[in-house]
Amino acid sequence: MSEATTPNPYAAPASDLQPSTQGGTPSIEEALARGYDFSIGDLLSESWNRVKGTKGIIIGGFVVFYVVLLAATFILGGVVGIFTALSENMLVMIVGEILISLLASALAYPFMAGINMVGIRRAADQPLSFNEIFSHFGRTVPLIITAVVMMLLVYLGMFLLLIPGIYLAVAYLLAIPLVVERGLSPWQALETSRKAITQHWFKVFGLFIVLGLIVMVSAIPLGIGLIWSIPLMVVAMGVLYRTIFGVLPAAQ
């Protein structure tokens, strides 16, 4: 007799949200099922204690990014201007503006994913590297898709009496790092972030209100305080992510 077993037709379907992970880190399903909690004060205190060692990487990353972005848009803008002048065709200018926007997006979202990962690595006491910020351009397409879908849904929510848009804007805060750190598809990342943050939506909302106020106040004295407040916000997001999902071991 054959020992092969017949699949149970009544069994629950297998999930594609990573049923198991490495190093004791919970899977996405386990993280959502176990729940979490945090204190805004404790999270900010831990984040502040972890800012040391990240300021140079994060601020340096922002400087390099904006220099590259300005140079790329300046060059492409110049080329578009030349072709527009030669052809005297408004269509050329419109296409050029679209290309510039696509270039900015192609640079911005992988960069922001890298910044998020610096905060997550710091929260998990993993080694930090300046290269982390610029090592996720291989996921440019899913990151852009995630961002576009997220913006469309948030704008739609804003149109529908505002409150749904505010809810989604907060609920989707961790979608971008989920695409990179866990390799989720855009929709999986959006839904996973929403389901997780909804468990303590008002606390997460309050956390980022406080962080936003800190950044605003720190910008008053000639922006000098941003050297500390921006890394604080990045690390705080990393600590929140770690609290909810855990962090996979860094690739060797």
Side-chain angles (χ1 to χ4, degrees), residues 50-171:
R50 291 178 178 275
V51 163
K52 184 178 180 181
T54 66
K55 295 191 295 294
I57 293 175
I58 293 171
I59 299 301
F62 272 105
V63 170
V64 172
F65 168 72
Y66 281 113
V67 168
V68 172
L69 180 60
L70 287 173
T73 53
F74 177 78
I75 293 171
L76 186 55
V79 172
V80 170
I82 292 172
F83 276 100
T84 301
L86 291 175
S87 64
E88 297 183 352
N89 189 336
M90 289 297 295
L91 179 61
V92 175
M93 185 179 70
I94 294 172
V95 171
E97 292 296 328
I98 293 173
L99 289 175
I100 291 173
S101 296
L102 289 175
L103 172 65
S105 297
L107 292 174
Y109 292 115
F111 166 76
M112 290 309 301
I115 289 288
N116 285 334
M117 285 306 302
V118 169
I120 290 169
R121 299 283 183 221
R122 185 71 185 94
D125 290 321
Q126 294 178 356
L128 298 181
S129 169
F130 187 76
N131 293 334
E132 180 78 52
I133 296 176
F134 303 99
S135 62
H136 302 291
F137 283 87
R139 294 189 179 272
T140 296
V141 172
L143 287 170
I144 290 177
I145 293 173
T146 303
V148 169
V149 174
M150 176 169 55
M151 286 188 293
L152 288 175
L153 292 174
V154 169
Y155 289 155
L156 178 61
M158 291 292 185
F159 181 75
L160 298 174
L161 302 177
L162 186 65
I163 293 177
I166 297 174
Y167 162 72
L168 290 177
V170 175

Side-chain angles (χ1 to χ4, degrees), residues 6 9 14 20 22 36 49-50 63 68 81 89 91 101 140 170 174-175 179 191 194 210 214 216 232 244 246:
T6 303
S20 62
Q22 308 173 39
Y36 67 97
N49 291 332
R50 291 178 178 275
V63 170
V68 172
N89 189 336
L91 179 61
S101 296
T140 296
V170 175
L174 299 179
V179 172
E191 276 296 279
R194 185 188 64 78
V210 173
I214 291 172
M216 288 174 59
L232 173 64
I244 298 174

Side-chain angles (χ1 to χ4, degrees), residues 168-237:
L168 290 177
V170 175
Y172 288 154
L173 279 170
L174 299 179
I176 293 294
L178 280 167
V179 172
V180 173
E181 201 268 336
R182 292 299 182 103
L184 300 188
S185 71
W187 186 247
Q188 286 176 339
L190 290 165
E191 276 296 279
T192 298
S193 177
R194 185 188 64 78
K195 290 175 182 178
I197 289 179
T198 296
Q199 294 181 22
H200 292 287
W201 187 93
F202 285 101
K203 275 192 179 182
V204 176
F205 180 68
L207 171 65
F208 281 92
I209 288 292
V210 173
L211 286 169
L213 291 173
I214 291 172
V215 171
M216 288 174 59
V217 172
S218 70
I220 293 174
L222 303 176
I224 296 174
L226 294 174
I227 296 174
W228 289 270
S229 62
I230 290 177
L232 173 64
M233 178 173 280
V234 171
V235 175
M237 182 172 281

